[in-house]
Amino acid sequence: MTHIKVPDEAAARPPLPATALMNVASSRRLGLTSRRAVLVIVALLCAVAMLPGTARADNPIVQTIYTADPAPLVHNGRVYLYTGHDEDGSTYFTMKDWRVWSSADMVNWTDHGSPMSVATFSWASADAWAGQTVYRNGRFYWYVPVKDRASGQMAIGVGVSNSPTGPFTDAIGRPLVRNGEIDPTVLIDDDGQAYLYWGNPNLWYVRLNADMISYSGSPAQIPLTTAGFGTRTGNTSRPTLYEEGPWVYKRNGLYYNVFAAKCCSEFIGYSTAPGPTGPWTYRGTVMPTQGSSFTNHPGVIDFNGGSYFFYHNGALPGGGGFTRSVAVEKFTYNADGTIPTISMTTTGAPQAGTLNPYVRQEAETIAWASGVETEPSGEGGMNVGWIENGDHIKVKGVAFGSGATSFSARVASATSGGRIELRLDGVNGTLVGTCTVPGTGGWQTWTTVTCPVNGATGTHDLYFKYTGGSGNLFNVNWWQFTGGTGGTGGNLLTNGDLESGTTGWAASGGTLSSVTSPVHGGGRALSIAGRTASWNGTTQDVTAKLTNGTSYTTSVWVRSQSGTPSAKATLAITANGTTSYLQLTPAATVSSGGWTQLTGTATASWSGTLTGATFYVETAAGTDGFFIDDASFQ
Ligand code: FUB
């Protein structure tokens, strides 16, 4: 496992020469001399990082291991990120398993471990290379290239799971297709027809059946014309730019194929088409050749009103062409649907929303980690481990609201433990609490420790700085703060002030738009028009933010676009397959002449497992359009 010690802002600096960084990745198992060299490098990086006015680095988005070949999937208000895993010190694409990560805000990523590996496919011998997961009819299908043991050829397998985080099993017990080519991507078109595309050096597609694990007809080649895929020079056997890694999707009626172009080093190019099988037209560069890895690999999504481009590079210490790391940038499509040229950054995407410290958070939910690793926890999920004196984890944009009073963490230690220092906005920032972790008799013998917190109000980056003696100190499974007031401490709604357009919001019928007039506060409000039922309203997924048995206070300003409907805020709670509706505010008449505040307090509780919670503003009857502004749910 990798044990990468990087200071918080290391990656925001120009990269150090590869020779200087060579040994950092495997520092945990290094001898003393190498270890000292690592510490010198880290000290240098720390010194640079303490310079004033430096940007905070959040790319690459995983620092605990090397990751490659990103495949993002948006499901129920979260982004699930499926990646490959480059083994430490690789000199080839030595990849044995795939990994899953997820985030509700694009900066704090939860490690879900490895729910699928080469061993999942009994017929495969090696090469857990670039795949993609899609959702259909309650199941998640993960298409991957692996080496077929019998033929020695690369083939496409398909894993299946009822959960986005697995575990995944081999859906059919044999390759779905096998022609020696790699890198599957799947598009499910609006008419329900699914297409599997893959290929290097060719580009293939086949129509998948509705079961997603079989197909109709035979695999066909998409003609690699220079009009469709650009002109490559200097390689007569490959006249077009298409190399590998296709990512096919549809947006506003246009079909996109974003792919790794030219070799080597690769850049990311793209083509568009009026239909799923073409004809394709080459549109140019998405991301130029950058970033210390001779491959690159695209993944593109829309999430909470923003567009995001995932890729990989060699930016971590010890990184390179076979020790890659996944990163992300936010971008905006041009008005004609073309994609702007995107450059790699060390700052990454902005945070979409905040993180709620008053619900249980996994210790492996991380914006930036230095020195630690993760592992499967005996209590389920993953835990953070291999913590040594001075290691740290940053969690970004933590909304403490009116103030935290105490902190609890689930910890285990086979040695004598240590301390968790809670610091704001820097690894040496304001200390707001210190929790002492005792020895518990085992690395998976868990206990909960609690300590007082002072001075944590408003929204800050939270740093867990781990201190103690030598060697491994303790493991952490999860943590949670207790709030000074109201039990929650902060607005759980993303973009509650509506100043970030429609970010975080959706419509349960009707059309959503961000407007500049009328507004209640600030410069923008949210409009919902074209409603055809009273329950059509403005909605926001709050599943990950809710705590069972907690009392929530709601405030939202509403104004009708016509008529005088009665408006209310409602929470739809789905647990154990049943949905119940909690009225958050009494219904109140709203008009087009001014703003009306809906307020109320209600307790959210459920039995069994919570699978969905949606905050609604709707009307008691009628279909008049309305505006909302300055919404809070806390
Ligand atoms: O990660 C192994 C291979 O490298 C992938 O299948 C390609 O897309 C390239 O990224």
Side-chain angles (χ1 to χ4, degrees):
M1 268 191 288
T2 308
H3 189 64
I4 304 170
K5 284 189 185 293
V6 283
D8 180 49
E9 292 163 325
R13 316 283 144 255
L16 289 185
T19 45
L21 294 170
M22 222 162 52
N23 288 323
V24 178
S26 298
S27 63
R28 183 163 176 249
R29 296 193 170 81
L30 292 177
L32 260 186
T33 312
S34 300
R35 179 77 184 213
R36 246 177 245 125
V38 168
L39 292 176
V40 168
I41 293 164
V42 170
L44 282 172
L45 290 168
C46 283
V48 180
M50 283 189 291
L51 293 173
T54 51
R56 294 193 182 278
D58 295 308
N59 263 340
I61 58 183
V62 175
Q63 306 84 33
T64 47
I65 58 169
Y66 296 112
T67 53
D69 304 325
L73 169 72
V74 177
H75 183 75
N76 277 353
R78 279 187 89 76
V79 178
Y80 291 88
L81 177 62
Y82 300 83
T83 72
H85 170 205
D86 284 342
E87 294 293 325
D88 291 5
S90 290
T91 52
Y92 180 61
F93 299 113
T94 309
M95 305 173 78
K96 300 174 183 169
D97 62 358
W98 294 271
R99 299 288 174 130
V100 185
W101 321 83
S102 75
S103 177
D105 64 9
M106 299 304 294
V107 298
N108 296 302
W109 290 91
T110 304
D111 185 341
H112 298 288
S114 174
M116 196 167 84
S117 71
V118 170
T120 304
F121 302 95
S122 59
W123 47 270
S125 59
D127 296 345
W129 287 4
Q132 184 182 356
T133 303
V134 295
Y135 171 78
R136 186 164 204 178
N137 293 336
R139 291 185 155 201
F140 298 83
Y141 298 91
W142 196 347
Y143 301 85
V144 287
V146 267
K147 187 177 277 180
D148 172 36
R149 184 182 292 107
S151 64
Q153 277 193 320
M154 291 304 286
I156 309 300
V158 54
V160 65
S161 176
N162 293 327
S163 158
T165 55
F168 285 77
T169 55
D170 185 354
I172 52 177
R174 58 182 163 74
L176 176 60
V177 286
R178 188 187 63 207
N179 65 0
E181 301 201 31
I182 59 173
D183 290 3
T185 179
V186 169
L187 161 79
I188 304 175
D189 210 344
D190 299 338
D191 63 2
Q193 178 63 58
Y195 298 82
L196 173 74
Y197 307 79
W198 75 102
N200 176 349
N202 301 295
L203 179 54
W204 299 85
Y205 78 94
V206 72
R207 284 183 172 79
L208 290 174
N209 294 330
D211 64 10
M212 300 300 279
I213 56 172
S214 62
Y215 58 85
S216 296
S218 299
Q221 280 191 42
I222 292 176
L224 289 177
T225 62
T226 53
F229 295 92
T231 304
R232 185 188 310 220
T233 51
N235 185 342
T236 47
S237 65
R238 300 189 77 156
T240 78
L241 292 170
Y242 176 80
E243 178 73 17
E244 60 182 356
W247 182 267
V248 179
Y249 64 100
K250 184 181 187 181
R251 190 175 187 276
N252 293 338
L254 190 62
Y255 295 78
Y256 292 77
N257 182 350
V258 184
F259 54 87
K262 203 165 147 279
C263 182
C264 292
S265 295
E266 293 176 342
F267 71 94
I268 303 295
Y270 80 112
S271 305
T272 62
T277 59
W280 295 95
T281 302
Y282 182 60
R283 297 291 180 195
T285 299
V286 175
M287 176 170 274
T289 301
Q290 294 171 346
S292 313
S293 161
F294 64 90
T295 65
N296 198 350
H297 194 98
V300 187
I301 52 163
D302 283 348
F303 174 65
N304 275 354
S307 298
Y308 296 89
F309 178 72
F310 290 78
Y311 58 96
H312 67 223
N313 61 24
L316 276 192
F322 302 116
T323 43
R324 299 163 291 178
S325 292
V326 166
V328 64
E329 308 296 341
K330 189 175 186 186
F331 74 99
T332 305
Y333 286 86
N334 298 316
D336 63 358
T338 55
I339 302 175
T341 303
I342 302 165
S343 278
M344 298 181 183
T345 74
T346 52
T347 43
Q351 186 169 12
T354 52
L355 184 132
N356 181 3
Y358 301 107
V359 297
R360 169 178 156 161
Q361 296 288 351
E362 297 306 310
E364 64 276 13
T365 295
I366 295 169
W368 192 267
S370 178
V372 305
E373 300 178 15
T374 63
E375 63 182 352
S377 167
E379 294 195 315
M382 303 289 282
N383 64 255
V384 169
W386 286 271
I387 293 171
E388 293 175 296
N389 183 40
D391 291 347
H392 75 266
I393 284 176
K394 175 176 82 168
V395 182
K396 197 168 178 182
V398 178
F400 291 105
S402 58
T405 54
S406 77
F407 169 82
S408 297
R410 190 76 172 158
V411 293
S413 174
T415 54
S416 54
R419 288 175 302 282
I420 305 173
E421 294 181 8
L422 309 172
R423 292 181 177 270
L424 303 183
D425 301 322
V427 69
N428 295 314
T430 305
L431 184 68
V432 295
T434 302
C435 251
T436 299
V437 177
T440 62
W443 294 117
Q444 292 293 329
T445 306
W446 296 96
T447 190
T448 304
V449 293
T450 300
C451 53
V453 173
N454 281 301
T457 59
T459 298
H460 298 272
D461 294 348
L462 171 65
Y463 285 72
F464 298 111
K465 182 174 179 180
Y466 308 109
T467 57
S470 60
N472 294 323
L473 302 179
F474 52 86
N475 292 345
V476 189
N477 190 14
W478 53 260
W479 57 266
Q480 181 167 355
F481 284 81
T482 300
T485 55
T488 62
N491 190 357
L492 302 192
L493 296 174
T494 298
N495 185 26
D497 61 8
L498 282 316
E499 294 307 302
S500 300
T502 57
T503 297
W505 295 89
S508 54
T511 306
L512 209 63
S513 59
S514 174
V515 297
T516 52
S517 175
V519 295
H520 173 261
R524 305 198 83 90
L526 193 63
S527 156
I528 181 150
R531 301 168 67 236
T532 56
S534 61
W535 51 268
N536 290 174
T538 56
T539 74
Q540 184 162 139
D541 189 296
V542 291
T543 316
K545 302 172 178 175
L546 231 49
T547 306
N548 204 352
T550 299
S551 178
Y552 293 97
T553 299
T554 302
S555 169
V556 56
W557 292 85
V558 185
R559 181 173 177 149
S560 78
Q561 295 174 5
S562 59
T564 51
S566 190
K568 58 180 181 170
T570 305
L571 186 69
I573 300 174
T574 305
N576 276 13
T578 306
T579 302
S580 58
Y581 296 91
L582 176 68
Q583 193 155 334
L584 297 174
T585 70
T589 300
V590 297
S591 78
S592 56
W595 292 91
T596 302
Q597 185 182 23
L598 309 180
T599 58
T601 299
T603 300
S605 55
W606 59 88
S607 305
T609 307
L610 180 73
T611 53
T614 307
F615 176 93
Y616 282 82
V617 181
E618 56 187 359
T619 57
T623 59
D624 294 307
F626 59 84
F627 304 102
I628 70 164
D629 205 351
D630 296 332
S632 66
F633 176 61
Q634 58 186 37

